[in-house]
Amino acid sequence: MSGDGDFGLLSPVSASPAVVALTGDRSVIAAILDVEAAWASVLEEAGFAPAGSAGVVAEAAESWAYDAASIAERAQGGANPVIPLLADLRGRVRQLDAGHPGGAVGALTAVHTSLTSQDVLDSALMLLAHRVVSALLAEAKGTTTALAALAEQHADTLCVGRSLTQHALPFTFGLKAAQWFHGVAAAARRLEVVELPVQFGGAGGTLAAGAVLTEGSSSSPFDLADALAGKLGLAPVPAPWHTNRLAVTGLGDALAALTDSFGKIASDLLFLSRPEVAELGEPLAAGRGVSSAMPQKQNPVLSVLIRSAALQTPGLAAQLHLAAANFNDERPDGAWHSEWPALRQLLRLSLGAATQLRELAEGLRIFPEAMRRNLEISGPLLLSEAVASSVAPLLGADRSEGKARLQAVVDETLRAPAAEQARIYTKLLREAVPASKLSDEELQAVLDPANYVGEAAEISRRILAAYPEFSHSNPNGADRG
């Protein structure tokens, strides 16, 4: 990280060597150089650069040889980093070419010929995104595998479902885990199919220089662009996309959707790990969750960091759309430039949060006893919907009359102190329903939360079955990128 200059001091969710290695300034430089080296190879193979020139360019394009701080400072002169980096690359190519064992091969002719800065930087950022997304999906699949296991293990673990912060109905922790899985798997599948295209167009998006280069040959500028896409592992495109930014906004939307799903899980965990709730706990690790002033605290910092990322990414995705809507002319005056930091921060936050969430999901501590304790706070009142469905027909000439009598029971119960409500509700309900119509055993069955979780198990099963590629670990052990 020493060459990056930004260590993430104020963004701890992405302050890890793994994230920096894929998104730091050094990785941006490497991606730009990879594009230039791949293009040199394309030109040589097509006969538009001397034999041996691609090897010289590839050797010159080793990212360790470039001063990121110097390039960043000099980028102000041309408003993008490709220009100073290209100057440095040409200098290294010239030096290496002159010292080539078999004599100079004229490798400079293979550097940037018929390209423009936007071709290189757009393609480089797509290449950077490709590398980050691969790692991000590996982390997401690690998370979904862990969540799928929790959903299966806790299919019958009762807990309370909450609506608008209040107890609503009996629920299962297995279904909660399955719904977490659903959010992440659906968003990850969406990210998997996002196309990351190569960019080509030349100075004005007309491929004029490329047309001159290929004139009289069997190749066209489009053939060269397709070859470049193949070498970089990017998607080929039918035409330049200089000013049509769906490739960028589509990626941003998919990243934001994925971190939305992370944020949902983190928000739930932040509540469920409160001491007065205590249904879940983050994995324990030495030095994690500490407070500078209160030694007894065990803060849920993984959830805090994940949520912090989820709160930032929608604004960054919106910035990409704002830029796209203001791409004037054939190269815009500032809109393009505003994309770069927003896209990179989206990639950083998404990958950082994915790494944190995987650790959280794989080590999540589950406390079924606390879930049952909280379920019993509302006691039989939690089954009032079930009672209304099964008991109301027994209490009057029509269902509406029976529901009105049951509502009166609920209203009277709610006037009592909370600690007494469960006992009072059961007593009033027993008094309202004749034993001849509903025995004590039948009433207890109605008031058993395990009997009113609907299709929770089937919903979980259907969710996991819909995303089989996300519900099981890779048998070859290649889950983690």
Side-chain angles (χ1 to χ4, degrees), residues 3-320:
D4 189 281
D6 177 6
F7 302 103
L9 193 64
L10 297 181
S11 185
V13 68
S14 58
S16 80
V19 175
V20 171
L22 288 170
T23 64
D25 282 352
R26 182 66 55 197
S27 62
V28 175
I29 289 173
I32 293 172
L33 292 170
D34 286 345
V35 172
E36 293 286 359
W39 183 246
S41 179
V42 167
L43 294 181
E44 181 178 331
E45 290 176 5
F48 299 120
S53 57
V56 175
V57 176
E59 184 180 354
E62 295 174 335
S63 62
W64 58 263
Y66 296 83
D67 185 340
S70 171
I71 292 167
E73 183 177 3
R74 287 182 288 141
Q76 297 179 65
N80 78 68
V82 174
I83 297 171
L85 179 53
L86 189 58
D88 293 351
L89 173 63
R90 283 178 169 140
R92 280 185 53 77
V93 168
R94 187 178 294 111
Q95 182 182 26
L96 290 171
D97 197 29
H100 194 269
V105 297
L108 273 176
T109 60
V111 178
H112 202 70
T113 297
S114 81
L115 296 180
T116 192
S117 296
Q118 188 171 356
D119 292 334
V120 176
L121 190 52
D122 277 353
S123 294
L125 290 176
M126 290 295 103
L127 179 58
L128 184 80
H130 176 73
R131 292 165 175 169
V132 173
V133 167
S134 294
L136 175 54
L137 288 172
E139 296 300 318
K141 287 184 179 181
T143 292
T144 55
T145 298
L147 293 177
L150 290 175
E152 292 170 342
Q153 293 163 13
H154 293 277
D156 299 318
T157 301
L158 288 174
C159 63
V160 63
R162 297 172 175 89
S163 172
L164 301 180
T165 77
Q166 304 299 297
H167 286 195
L169 290 173
F171 210 73
T172 67
F173 179 66
L175 180 54
K176 185 178 288 289
Q179 291 289 15
W180 289 343
F181 167 95
H182 194 185
V184 176
R189 184 180 280 179
R190 177 180 173 186
L191 180 60
E192 276 188 321
V193 299
V194 170
E195 283 200 342
L196 302 174
V198 73
Q199 169 69 295
F200 71 108
T206 63
L207 292 172
V212 171
L213 176 69
T214 58
E215 186 175 4
S217 77
S218 60
S219 297
S220 72
F222 305 99
D223 296 326
L224 300 183
D226 288 346
L228 178 62
K231 288 185 178 294
L232 296 174
L234 298 178
V237 288
W241 51 275
H242 274 57
T243 55
N244 302 312
R245 308 307 288 178
L246 186 59
V248 177
T249 58
L251 172 60
D253 290 345
L255 292 169
L258 188 57
T259 55
D260 288 347
S261 72
F262 298 167
K264 160 60 179 170
I265 299 172
S267 293
D268 280 349
L269 288 173
L270 286 167
F271 172 76
L272 295 171
S273 64
R274 289 172 180 262
E276 59 270 30
V277 181
E279 295 182 9
L280 300 174
E282 290 195 350
L284 301 176
R288 177 181 291 151
V290 297
S291 165
S292 65
M294 294 167 281
Q296 85 285 0
K297 291 192 73 181
Q298 185 66 45
N299 296 316
V301 293
L302 291 175
S303 298
V304 168
L305 293 176
I306 294 163
R307 188 165 186 258
S308 77
L311 291 172
Q312 294 175 71
T313 52
L316 294 167
Q319 173 59 45
L320 297 180

Side-chain angles (χ1 to χ4, degrees), residues 353-364:
T355 303
Q356 305 275 6
L357 183 60
R358 179 176 185 170
E359 181 181 355
L360 196 161
E362 291 179 340
L364 188 64

Side-chain angles (χ1 to χ4, degrees), residues 222-459:
F222 305 99
D223 296 326
L224 300 183
D226 288 346
L228 178 62
K231 288 185 178 294
L232 296 174
L234 298 178
V237 288
W241 51 275
H242 274 57
T243 55
N244 302 312
R245 308 307 288 178
L246 186 59
V248 177
T249 58
L251 172 60
D253 290 345
L255 292 169
L258 188 57
T259 55
D260 288 347
S261 72
F262 298 167
K264 160 60 179 170
I265 299 172
S267 293
D268 280 349
L269 288 173
L270 286 167
F271 172 76
L272 295 171
S273 64
R274 289 172 180 262
E276 59 270 30
V277 181
E279 295 182 9
L280 300 174
E282 290 195 350
L284 301 176
R288 177 181 291 151
V290 297
S291 165
S292 65
M294 294 167 281
Q296 85 285 0
K297 291 192 73 181
Q298 185 66 45
N299 296 316
V301 293
L302 291 175
S303 298
V304 168
L305 293 176
I306 294 163
R307 188 165 186 258
S308 77
L311 291 172
Q312 294 175 71
T313 52
L316 294 167
Q319 173 59 45
L320 297 180
H321 283 282
L322 181 63
N326 285 277
F327 251 66
N328 60 314
D329 300 326
E330 280 59 62
R331 183 167 297 120
D333 47 5
W336 178 49
H337 308 74
S338 71
E339 274 184 356
W340 314 334
L343 179 59
R344 179 164 72 163
Q345 187 66 354
L346 258 172
L347 291 166
R348 277 181 165 171
L349 290 171
S350 300
L351 180 56
T355 303
Q356 305 275 6
L357 183 60
R358 179 176 185 170
E359 181 181 355
L360 196 161
E362 291 179 340
L364 188 64
R365 294 178 295 143
I366 318 298
F367 305 117
E369 299 83 0
M371 293 178 184
R372 187 72 195 209
R373 180 199 67 216
N374 292 332
L375 180 71
E376 292 172 353
I377 290 174
S378 291
L381 269 175
L382 204 62
L383 280 300
S384 58
E385 182 184 72
V387 170
S389 298
S390 59
V391 178
L394 307 176
L395 297 183
D398 57 49
R399 182 178 293 271
S400 61
E401 181 182 344
K403 284 189 173 182
R405 292 181 63 184
L406 291 173
Q407 185 61 51
V409 169
V410 172
D411 292 343
E412 186 173 348
T413 300
L414 293 177
R415 285 193 284 269
E420 294 293 314
Q421 288 178 0
R423 180 186 63 79
I424 291 173
Y425 179 69
T426 304
K427 175 178 175 293
L428 293 176
L429 190 59
R430 179 70 285 177
E431 292 173 354
V433 186
S436 60
K437 294 186 176 182
L438 194 71
S439 68
D440 288 345
E441 291 77 12
E442 290 170 330
L443 179 59
Q444 287 306 310
V446 171
L447 298 179
D448 184 347
N451 293 333
Y452 201 67
V453 293
E455 298 287 349
E458 177 61 11
I459 293 169

